[in-house]
């Protein structure tokens, strides 16, 4: 598996990372603990060393399962644990909270759930517009000095927000949405990361399954699965994305003998200093990991990919639907959870 450094932290990671949002169950129609543990252990065995999680994924469940999988498998030393801070919740409602006192609580709760004494990459999940960014950054710099975390990242931040953050603390990584269908960061965050030596953890590398090859116009989702309301999965738009996926699959097979899933992940890796976060909750979903290394997408194919996207997707939509509310509810200013 290809490797990449994370900012200036000295940490090294595989270029594919395992995403464990679905492993938490919440917003993905539930979770199966035994399958999830097997998936995490299988990822490490396949050379996928970075495991991305967050407290909010299943309200602690994803972190607990990651901690259990690594501890039971004796795999902690081989893993790069990337988790997050800055989203709090009450009665299933999520809100942004990166106040210093909350971060101090969160880091201890995450260390406990993850069964470790250090978090490798600690990322602010969403910018908290009601807390000065410098205050958040300074606590993270302190946590690094104290040895509780090794590298610092932000997620869903703009370049201006990252400038403010970097005036108070060294930043190693940024985690934005990025895949063949969601390319907004090419205008700002990606060039910013390249210029400033940040590693980009691209989330939703498979566009929540739309680039896996499995989704059709008929695919149905169960329970609280977010794809029941994700605008890309609603008709008539879903047909456009499925049509693009089919054409991309045909192109990948004809040119490289690969599937659309492998093309989608390889494409992310060929765009810059990236790690592709690939969400999986069953070990067999990681079988195509073997198809990612050892090839590259040439410029001609890149142009054909763009032509397919432009032709098929006439009504594109961004992943903005996932953003938590910007304002904290008034009664949650003193709330401590976690
Ligand atoms: P994703 O990686 O784009 O897609 C995951 C989906 O792909 C799942 O639905 C899974 O299917 C499907 N899949 C995976 N491997 C497959 C295979 N071999 N064959 C068929 N289908 C396959 O979505 P994601 O989980 O949203 O994003 C990846 C990670 O990025 C997350 O887990 C999380 O760690 C991170 N993330 C971060 C943020 C943030 O705000 N920082 C936001 C979103 C995601 P099933 O449904 O069938 O299991």
């Amino acid at each position: 598996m290809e490797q990449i450094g994370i900012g200036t932290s000295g940490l090294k990671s595989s270029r594919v990372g395992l995403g464990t949002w679905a492993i938490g169950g919440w917003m993905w129609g539930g979770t199966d603990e035994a399958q999830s543990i097997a998936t995490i252990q299988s990822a490490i065995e396949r050379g996928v060393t970075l495991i991305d999680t967050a407290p909010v994924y299943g309200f602690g469940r994803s972190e607990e399962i990651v901690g259990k999988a690594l501890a039971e498998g004796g795999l902690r030393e081989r893993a790069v644990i990337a988790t997050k801070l800055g989203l709090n919740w009450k009665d299933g409602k999520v809100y942004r909270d990166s106040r210093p006192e909350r971060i101090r609580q969160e880091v201890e709760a995450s260390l406990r759930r993850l069964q470790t004494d250090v978090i490798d990459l600690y990322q602010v999940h969403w910018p908290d517009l009601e807390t000065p960014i410098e205050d958040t950054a300074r606590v993270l710099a302190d946590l690094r000095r104290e040895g509780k975390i090794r590298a610092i990242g932000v997620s869903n931040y703009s370049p201006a927000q990252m400038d403010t953050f970097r005036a108070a603390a060294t930043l190693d990584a940024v985690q934005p949405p990025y895949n063949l269908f969601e390319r907004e960061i090419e205008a700002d965050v990606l060039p910013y990361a390249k210029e400033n030596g940040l590693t980009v953890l691209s989330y939703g590398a498979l566009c929540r399954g739309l680039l896996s090859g499995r989704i059709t116009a008929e695919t149905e989702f169960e329970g609280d699965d977010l794809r029941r309301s994700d605008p890309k999965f609603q008709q008539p738009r879903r047909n456009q994305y499925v049509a693009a996926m089919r054409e991309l699959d045909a192109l990948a097979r004809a040119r490289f003998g690969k599937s659309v899933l492998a093309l989608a992940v390889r494409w992310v890796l060929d765009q810059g200093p990236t790690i592709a976060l690939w969400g999986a909750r069953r070990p067999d979903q990681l079988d195509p990991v073997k198809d990612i290394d050892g090839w590259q997408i040439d410029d001609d194919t890149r142009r054909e990919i763009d032509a397919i996207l432009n032709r098929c997707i006439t009504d594109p939509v961004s992943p903005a639907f996932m953003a938590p509310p910007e304002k904290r509810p008034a009664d949650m200013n003193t709330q401590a959870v976690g």
Side-chain angles (χ1 to χ4, degrees), residues 235-306:
Q235 294 294 15
R237 207 183 259 126
R238 194 202 289 200
N239 278 346
Q240 299 178 11
Y241 284 100
V242 170
M245 178 273 289
R246 289 216 177 101
E247 288 201 27
L248 292 170
D249 193 52
L251 178 69
R253 287 180 196 279
R255 285 281 157 89
F256 307 113
K258 307 276 187 189
S259 68
V260 63
L261 187 156
L263 182 81
V265 175
R266 186 69 247 170
W267 182 88
V268 167
L269 300 188
D270 289 350
Q271 295 298 106
T274 52
I275 293 171
L277 294 180
W278 171 344
R281 48 181 156 187
R282 296 196 320 268
D284 64 277
Q285 289 179 321
L286 294 175
D287 288 348
V289 163
K290 63 180 182 336
D291 300 328
I292 308 304
D293 268 7
W295 61 291
Q296 285 201 314
I297 300 176
D298 55 90
D299 289 344
D300 265 3
T301 308
R302 200 178 294 282
R303 276 190 286 276
E304 281 194 48
I305 288 173
D306 291 349

Side-chain angles (χ1 to χ4, degrees), residues 38-250:
T39 306
I40 294 160
Q41 295 177 343
S42 165
I44 306 263
E45 295 304 335
R46 292 171 203 255
V48 173
T49 54
L50 185 133
I51 314 290
D52 184 72
T53 181
V56 78
Y57 297 164
F59 308 117
R61 194 89 188 94
S62 174
E63 283 192 333
E64 276 168 9
I65 291 174
V66 170
K68 198 168 173 185
L70 297 180
E72 284 180 0
L75 297 168
R76 173 64 187 100
E77 295 310 313
R78 288 164 65 185
V80 177
I81 298 180
T83 192
K84 311 191 187 82
L85 63 115
L87 287 184
N88 205 339
W89 60 86
K90 190 178 185 214
D91 303 329
K93 291 225 182 334
V94 171
Y95 57 96
R96 308 176 191 211
D97 189 349
S98 296
R99 287 172 294 180
E101 61 273 28
R102 170 65 185 156
I103 298 174
R104 285 279 170 191
Q105 290 175 333
E106 279 210 274
V107 72
E108 298 304 331
S110 288
L111 288 168
R112 177 175 43 76
R113 288 190 289 253
L114 291 162
Q115 302 188 37
T116 187
D117 52 13
V118 60
I119 290 164
D120 296 306
L121 174 61
Y122 205 32
Q123 308 157 101
V124 186
H125 207 148
W126 280 86
D128 173 358
L129 307 181
E130 299 181 298
T131 301
I133 284 177
E134 308 85 312
D135 292 1
T136 300
R138 275 192 285 269
V139 186
L140 293 179
D142 289 345
L143 290 177
R144 173 153 41 192
R145 268 192 293 277
E146 293 163 24
K148 289 183 190 284
I149 66 173
R150 292 193 167 114
I152 299 175
V154 292
S155 182
N156 302 301
Y157 267 49
S158 68
Q161 290 166 330
M162 288 190 270
D163 271 340
T164 309
F165 191 103
R166 289 172 57 240
T170 304
L171 189 60
D172 298 296
V174 57
Q175 183 174 144
Y178 193 41
N179 59 62
L180 272 168
F181 290 157
E182 294 172 334
R183 294 172 57 172
E184 288 80 359
I185 69 160
E186 288 173 6
D188 51 11
V189 172
L190 186 58
Y192 183 90
K194 287 178 183 171
E195 273 164 33
N196 294 291
L198 308 181
T199 305
V200 179
L201 280 74
S202 303
Y203 76 69
L206 305 179
C207 201
R208 300 173 292 292
L210 268 181
L211 287 161
S212 72
R214 181 178 85 83
I215 308 293
T216 67
E218 284 77 40
T219 309
E220 290 182 11
F221 302 99
E222 302 294 323
D224 70 346
D225 196 309
L226 77 162
R227 292 167 292 187
R228 294 176 80 175
S229 54
D230 183 334
K232 282 196 180 61
F233 286 75
Q234 312 311 311
Q235 294 294 15
R237 207 183 259 126
R238 194 202 289 200
N239 278 346
Q240 299 178 11
Y241 284 100
V242 170
M245 178 273 289
R246 289 216 177 101
E247 288 201 27
L248 292 170
D249 193 52

